[in-house]
Amino acid sequence: MLKDIKAENIYIVCGRTDMRKSISGLAEIIQYQFDLDLFSNSLFLFCGRRRNRLKALIWEDDGFVLLYKRLEEGKYNWPKDENEVRNLTHEQFVWLMQGLSIDQPKAIKKIEGKLDIC
C-alpha cells in the first residue's frame, strides 16, 4: 500500500523520531522544525530508533492519513543526520523500502542543466 501512494514530493525526516508521536506530533515536526507545507501533496516519512518501523503522514483533502509499517525481518537503511529532511525521488523511495541506502554509489546520476557538447 505504501508503495502505491501517489505524492508529488516524498520527504524523509532523517535521524530518529519518537514513534509514540501521533499525527499532531509528527505534523509539528514538519511544520515548525523544517518549515514545510503539510497540506501539499507530499508524503512525510519517519523512522524510530530500531529502524524496523516507520510512520508515513500525508494530507488528503479532508484530513491526514497516518500509516504505520513494522518489518518482521531486517531494518531500513535510514540516514542518521537528526537535523535534516531530504526530498526523495521515487527511485530513492523504492530503494529505501527495499532496505537499501537512498544514496546508491553505483547508480547513474541524473544531470541537471545544459551540457556543453563539443
Side-chain angles (χ1 to χ4, degrees):
M1 172 157 181
L2 192 54
K3 292 182 271 187
D4 298 329
I5 291 177
K6 302 291 185 221
E8 288 178 27
N9 293 300
I10 302 170
Y11 292 102
I12 180 173
V13 177
C14 301
R16 299 178 190 163
T17 300
D18 182 353
M19 296 305 278
R20 296 173 294 179
K21 290 189 181 295
S22 63
I23 290 173
S24 298
L26 297 174
E28 281 183 13
I29 291 171
I30 295 301
Q31 197 167 25
Y32 298 115
Q33 187 174 341
F34 297 111
D35 197 31
L36 294 171
D37 183 9
L38 282 167
F39 305 104
S40 62
N41 185 14
S42 298
L43 178 68
F44 300 97
L45 302 170
F46 305 86
C47 189
R49 177 179 49 86
R50 296 181 191 165
R51 295 186 341 215
N52 67 340
R53 296 174 170 105
L54 70 78
K55 285 188 177 181
L57 184 66
I58 190 166
W59 171 258
E60 289 190 340
D61 293 332
D62 57 354
F64 285 104
V65 175
L66 179 65
L67 300 167
Y68 181 79
K69 182 172 183 176
R70 182 186 74 197
L71 296 177
E72 295 302 318
E73 291 186 28
K75 295 182 180 205
Y76 292 107
N77 196 339
W78 208 266
K80 295 179 182 168
D81 187 354
E82 298 275 338
N83 298 317
E84 183 181 20
V85 65
R86 292 180 61 180
N87 193 347
L88 301 182
T89 65
H90 183 71
E91 188 173 42
Q92 289 172 316
F93 175 64
V94 171
W95 291 338
L96 181 70
M97 293 297 106
Q98 293 173 341
L100 302 172
S101 172
I102 58 175
D103 298 314
Q104 291 293 314
K106 293 186 178 182
I108 297 171
K109 306 290 184 209
K110 293 184 180 180
I111 298 174
E112 308 231 357
K114 292 185 178 182
L115 290 177
D116 196 17
I117 300 176
C118 297

